[in-house]
Amino acid sequence: MKQLNNIKAVTDALDVAMEKWNEVVVYGEDVGFEGGVFRATEGLQKKYGEERCFDAPISEAIYIGAALGMALNGLKPVVELQFQGLGWASLQNILGHMGRMRNRTRGKYPAPIVIRTPMGGGIRALELHSEAMEVIYAHTPGIKVVCPSTPYDTKGLILAAIESPDPVIVLEPTKLYRAFKQEVPDGFYTVPIGEGFKIFEGNDITVVTYGAQTVDCQKAIEQFEEKHPDLSVELIDLRTIKPWDRQMVFESVKKTGRLLVVHEAVRSFSVAAEIMASVTEECFEYLKAPLARVTGYDIVIPFDSGEGYHQVNPTKIFAKLEEIINFKF
Amino acid sequence: MKYINKFDPQKDQVVRILDVDGKVIDEKLLPKISDKQLIEAYKLMNLSRRQDDFQNKAQRQGRLLSFLSSTGQEACEVAYALAMVKGQDWLAPGYRNNAAWLTAGMPMHNIMMYWMGNEFGGQSPQGVNLLPPNIIIGSQYSQAVGIAFAEKYKKTNGVALTSTGDGGMSEGEVYESMNFAKLHELPVVFICENNKWAISTPYAKSTKSLNVAVKGIAVGIPGIKVDGNDFLASYAVASEAIEFARQGNGPVLIEFDTYRLGAHSSSDNPDIYRPKPEYEEALTKDPLIRMKKYLIDKKLWTEKKQTALDEEQDLFIRQEFDYAEAHKDYPLEDVFNYLYETKTPELEAQYQEAAAFFAANPNAKGGHH
């Protein structure tokens, strides 16, 4: 066991994977010598050589196309997209090829690719560095999307992604890279793709979230429960956005009768929209209040001076919890 | 090297061995190829041409959704696919590669099933390293780069070939792929079948570049321009390029100078945009006629053999088509079964929902044919 933050958990996961599978190759912009702009791959080139961990020229369009060729020819490529908003050129191959290859060859050529990319704001970055565009990926058939929020999950989900026979996109909340440390087991272990994690047990409201907002939600819920000692809130960290843990969410909502979904991505056509629609379909007769969400607005992510307006924060979540609990038919 | 780095694309030099009458221009340039292989190549060219003709008629009858014919481009396609080592080398084709696809080992009924709208048609047989047609042009270049990366990494000595047209050469991904491949000195042969038309956009409106082959210069890889309607020149250069790449010299870019005699796709009418004199001139350079004249001169072929071959191939095409048509449909579960190794819970639920729906409404699928 060692105490690691999220970024070190990424490095540890990649180290373990490269040790375990000779087929793992890691590349992306600045990933080799420097270890990436966030140092996620620090030390890997030194340990495993330039052939297995290398700097790629700035050509996002081909990163995933090349990874596809590598994957169908027996390798396990792990590609880093430096920032989501700078990697739009990669979408050609993510949407158009990666998720489709197994299907269009009827299983002959699966594409076990892992794409890692930072997500989300709150880091005072420049334009296009703070996007949270998980729905674009989650909307695409054939692709799985995970978003760990803790060092333990980060390592376990990355290893599960590399082990997965299907392409997986790992969204890493930038704000949490160095936010806190946690004990992380040495060596190989996985966190199953598709299973949520219950951070708090509760009886009165279900809060579903993932990524950086797990921290915001914990703060808001602590504050809420302090004010309402007779109430308890169940907090679910989805960990996997697609396929999401429907069972865990439905069971929880059936118990509490109330749902709040929280994420920083823009609201319309969002993960929250999908979860709320599904809960309406499956849990309608259990509901005691309208389903609710706290999300980013449908706006271009503001520059630093305005970003605070857009960002989800504990105060916004607290206010929404009050609204839900005070709802009367 | 007899061709690569000998023919200068900056001077627009072209490797050509046969003239339009099938006469050998320069004996010294002839590749090593047996008479048996020459006949095999010609038969494949003829087969692909007749398959194209057949499919055009079938498409008019509504029995194929659409397809993109190789008519006019058979010489280079058969040449480079024949130069590959089966089971070792890879082909990541574009969509207009019928002759190459066939030559590289895709059963004809698979090709037909693909154009009938059945994904099983895109699955190459075991031992044949062949990807389905790439509909988004350009990205097959990057996939070939990854395949080649894995070959080099695993030291398995295979070469990846990939093909696009002059239209595809405008894609940024093509440049990025060549750059990446050279950086890693990957065993990949980039092919452009310059057939002069990107749907209705002529070559002159796609690029001001002297030719396609020079586009390799910017990334440091040798480019070579070949008469793509000349089977011997195409085979000679493709063979050399594949071995050049296999020996660890990095990628090569080959421009096959050819012409699309057919339409862009079975839904397109080239008479609207293509100048008639240009087309008529192109007909005089038909690769099949050149090859046939050459073989007749070499006493390897006769008109009588041609008649017998046409009959035999037409029968084969008919049989393959009948087989494809009888196997074009598949059950509901197949649209859910191949997305992931195992269905995700929501996909399983959606499959159950669909299964119940179609069981209750057996005629609800509809369809074109």
Side-chain angles (χ1 to χ4, degrees):
Chain A
M1 289 279 206
K2 39 190 179 243
Q3 289 275 331
L4 298 178
N5 61 19
N6 275 310
I7 200 80
K8 288 292 166 206
V10 173
T11 318
D12 193 30
L14 295 175
D15 189 4
V16 169
M18 291 176 91
E19 185 85 51
K20 182 174 168 70
W21 294 293
N22 193 42
E23 305 87 58
V24 174
V25 291
V26 173
Y27 64 94
E29 281 148 38
D30 309 302
V31 157
F33 185 79
E34 191 192 23
V37 287
F38 292 105
R39 309 287 181 268
T41 52
E42 199 167 38
L44 296 177
Q45 186 177 73
K46 205 172 172 195
K47 188 164 172 189
Y48 296 101
E50 267 192 68
E51 205 187 5
R52 296 190 64 193
C53 178
F54 58 88
D55 295 327
I58 303 175
S59 44
E60 288 92 348
I62 76 147
Y63 288 0
I64 315 305
L68 184 54
M70 292 179 194
L72 63 85
N73 198 5
L75 303 189
K76 288 173 177 284
V78 181
V79 188
E80 178 176 303
L81 292 176
Q82 206 165 63
F83 290 96
Q84 278 184 66
L86 307 185
W88 291 150
S90 66
L91 288 177
Q92 154 101 317
N93 280 293
I94 294 175
L95 311 187
H97 294 287
M98 188 176 82
R100 300 171 62 93
M101 199 45 136
R102 178 191 286 279
N103 185 62
R104 63 201 288 270
T105 60
R106 287 300 193 237
K108 184 176 179 188
Y109 293 129
I113 297 164
V114 175
I115 300 173
R116 298 178 33 249
T117 184
M119 85 175 301
I123 52 160
R124 313 195 64 185
L126 294 172
E127 263 192 285
L128 289 158
H129 288 64
S130 302
E131 323 301 292
M133 303 301 273
E134 55 270 29
V135 243
I136 289 182
Y137 307 122
H139 199 64
T140 307
I143 296 172
K144 296 182 177 181
V145 184
V146 303
C147 180
S149 67
T150 64
Y152 179 89
D153 287 353
T154 296
K155 181 174 171 185
L157 277 168
I158 287 178
L159 286 169
I162 297 171
E163 195 176 43
S164 164
D166 297 305
V168 182
I169 298 188
V170 182
L171 303 173
E172 299 168 357
T174 323
K175 205 168 122 180
L176 299 188
Y177 267 150
R178 296 172 200 283
F180 56 89
K181 286 184 179 176
Q182 188 185 29
E183 288 226 317
V184 173
D186 296 326
F188 183 83
Y189 71 93
T190 58
V191 168
I193 293 171
E195 285 185 15
F197 178 75
K198 226 172 260 180
I199 299 177
F200 299 147
E201 297 270 354
N203 295 317
D204 301 292
I205 304 178
T206 299
V207 176
V208 178
T209 191
Y210 52 90
Q213 281 66 56
T214 54
V215 177
D216 298 326
C217 286
Q218 289 179 55
K219 286 181 189 157
I221 291 167
E222 278 160 15
Q223 197 189 339
F224 181 80
E225 290 184 343
E226 219 165 90
K227 189 176 166 198
H228 304 280
D230 50 331
L231 297 175
S232 60
V233 179
E234 185 140 300
L235 176 60
I236 293 172
D237 176 1
L238 273 189
R239 302 197 293 194
T240 299
I241 292 170
K242 187 190 180 184
W244 57 283
D245 195 338
R246 293 160 63 90
Q247 224 42 51
M248 181 180 276
V249 172
F250 296 159
E251 277 166 21
S252 177
V253 174
K254 284 176 182 173
K255 178 175 65 175
T256 63
R258 300 178 182 91
L259 173 72
L260 171 64
V261 187
V262 182
H263 59 61
E264 66 181 299
V266 295
R267 184 172 305 164
S268 299
F269 310 97
S270 61
V271 173
E274 171 61 28
I275 293 174
M276 291 159 83
S278 301
V279 166
T280 307
E281 286 171 343
E282 300 292 330
C283 313
F284 188 72
E285 66 270 34
Y286 298 87
L287 298 180
K288 299 172 188 162
L291 306 177
R293 52 183 159 177
V294 174
T295 67
Y297 307 112
D298 291 354
I299 55 174
V300 172
I301 316 291
F303 291 16
D304 183 56
S305 294
E307 194 185 12
Y309 296 128
H310 173 79
Q311 280 277 303
V312 167
N313 59 45
T315 315
K316 283 183 184 173
I317 300 166
F318 179 85
K320 190 57 91 175
L321 288 170
E322 286 285 328
E323 206 181 303
I324 295 168
I325 210 71
N326 290 321
F327 175 80
K328 298 268 182 319
F329 276 101
Chain B
M1 295 294 135
K2 255 161 98 174
Y3 318 99
I4 297 167
N5 293 328
K6 296 282 193 295
F7 286 78
D8 187 354
Q10 292 190 81
K11 294 179 185 148
D12 207 28
Q13 290 174 338
V14 180
V15 183
R16 181 175 294 124
I17 297 173
L18 288 181
D19 69 10
V20 288
D21 293 317
K23 306 279 184 219
V24 174
I25 299 165
D26 186 346
E27 296 274 345
K28 291 197 293 294
L29 291 178
L30 278 170
K32 276 197 192 110
I33 182 166
S34 67
D35 289 350
K36 197 175 152 224
Q37 282 175 303
L38 283 172
I39 294 167
E40 185 197 352
Y42 177 68
K43 285 181 172 175
L44 281 161
M45 289 164 64
N46 199 66
L47 180 64
S48 181
R49 175 71 61 94
R50 300 188 85 76
Q51 181 194 347
D52 275 358
D53 289 345
F54 179 92
Q55 288 185 170
N56 262 320
K57 291 185 194 110
Q59 198 273 339
R60 295 287 172 267
Q61 295 168 354
R63 296 163 81 184
L64 280 176
L65 298 177
S66 182
F67 82 100
L68 300 109
S69 92
S70 285
T71 293
Q73 300 172 221
E74 295 93 341
C76 57
E77 288 190 19
V78 170
Y80 65 72
L82 215 53
M84 292 167 56
V85 175
K86 274 214 176 80
Q88 184 176 28
D89 296 339
W90 290 74
L91 178 61
Y95 48 63
R96 186 184 314 290
N97 281 140
N98 188 75
W101 219 20
L102 200 59
T103 306
M106 192 60 111
M108 187 184 283
H109 58 256
N110 278 48
I111 301 176
M112 290 167 160
M113 277 161 76
Y114 181 88
W115 299 122
M116 284 174 187
N118 180 326
E119 290 86 346
F120 283 98
Q123 186 193 63
S124 48
Q126 286 310 313
V128 175
N129 303 326
L130 193 51
L131 301 194
N134 198 342
I135 301 296
I136 311 174
I137 54 170
S139 41
Q140 65 269 39
Y141 265 44
S142 59
Q143 292 160 19
V145 162
I147 290 168
F149 184 97
E151 287 297 320
K152 188 179 178 187
Y153 185 90
K154 296 188 293 181
K155 300 183 172 61
T156 33
N157 221 20
V159 176
L161 281 78
T162 184
S163 171
T164 190
D166 44 307
M169 295 306 290
S170 302
E171 293 279 0
E173 199 171 338
V174 159
Y175 167 80
E176 294 181 20
S177 299
M178 294 196 294
N179 186 51
F180 190 98
K182 182 60 189 174
L183 280 166
H184 291 270
E185 299 289 9
L186 298 179
V188 52
V189 176
F190 296 110
I191 291 163
C192 172
E193 292 175 40
N194 182 352
N195 68 11
K196 312 298 182 293
W197 290 92
I199 308 190
S200 65
T201 305
Y203 180 70
K205 288 195 174 167
S206 280
T207 181
K208 291 285 185 191
S209 186
L210 173 67
N211 52 50
V212 170
V214 294
K215 289 175 187 274
I217 293 169
V219 287
I221 72 177
I224 182 162
K225 186 173 171 180
V226 187
D227 183 339
N229 286 5
D230 170 354
F231 172 80
L232 289 176
S234 299
Y235 182 81
V237 173
S239 304
E240 188 178 90
I242 290 170
E243 286 318 305
F244 177 89
R246 201 188 310 282
Q247 299 309 320
N249 300 303
V252 187
L253 170 64
I254 308 176
E255 173 185 7
F256 289 112
D257 185 20
T258 182
Y259 195 83
R260 187 188 86 207
L261 288 175
H264 161 67
S265 79
S266 49
S267 322
D268 165 54
N269 176 11
D271 294 342
I272 298 168
Y273 53 80
R274 187 170 62 189
K276 211 170 167 210
E278 182 191 291
Y279 172 66
E280 280 166 356
E281 206 228 313
L283 283 177
T284 67
K285 297 174 183 165
D286 186 326
L288 263 78
I289 295 171
R290 280 161 85 171
M291 183 71 164
K292 189 171 146 191
K293 284 179 175 168
Y294 171 69
L295 293 178
I296 289 173
D297 281 354
K298 268 184 80 107
K299 310 270 185 256
L300 292 174
W301 200 246
T302 62
E303 283 302 341
K304 203 175 148 194
K305 280 183 181 170
Q306 182 72 43
T307 308
L309 178 71
D310 289 349
E311 276 174 26
E312 179 197 316
Q313 289 188 337
D314 287 350
L315 180 68
F316 174 73
I317 292 165
R318 178 86 240 171
Q319 285 167 346
E320 289 289 285
F321 187 77
D322 288 346
Y323 177 89
E325 231 177 15
H327 293 85
K328 76 180 163 59
D329 294 325
Y330 50 75
L332 171 71
E333 53 261 39
D334 284 352
V335 299
F336 291 93
N337 274 350
Y338 296 97
L339 224 40
Y340 303 99
E341 194 183 60
T342 45
K343 288 201 277 292
T344 60
E346 52 256 74
L347 208 52
E348 180 60 35
Q350 288 173 25
Y351 166 60
Q352 295 299 339
E353 175 194 317
F357 172 80
F358 285 106
N361 302 277
N363 298 320
K365 186 186 167 210
H368 298 288
H369 53 290

